[in-house]
Amino acid sequence: MQICAPRGAVPTATSKCLCGRDRSAVGKARVLALITDHETHRDTCPLRTPLEGRTAA
């Protein structure tokens, strides 16, 4: 994973999903954390994950 930004610029990122999730991050450490969080969300999003066959909580 690599983040590119112009010299001296602070990296930013936005994570949006059709389920209504909308998060943003500023700064290298927070952007990297948001990327990890976004990847995790893709596996657990109710719009992307079928409910059939899931175990009830």
Side-chain angles (χ1 to χ4, degrees):
M1 173 67 57
Q2 183 178 9
I3 299 172
C4 296
R7 183 177 294 276
V10 177
T12 62
T14 302
S15 170
K16 293 185 179 185
C17 183
L18 292 175
C19 72
R21 183 179 189 275
D22 185 358
R23 301 199 177 153
S24 60
V26 177
K28 183 178 178 180
R30 289 185 177 177
V31 166
L32 291 172
L34 181 62
I35 291 168
T36 300
D37 184 56
H38 179 81
E39 291 171 349
T40 301
H41 176 75
R42 287 191 310 195
D43 294 334
T44 60
C45 177
L47 294 180
R48 293 178 57 99
T49 308
L51 297 176
E52 195 173 311
R54 292 175 79 186
T55 306

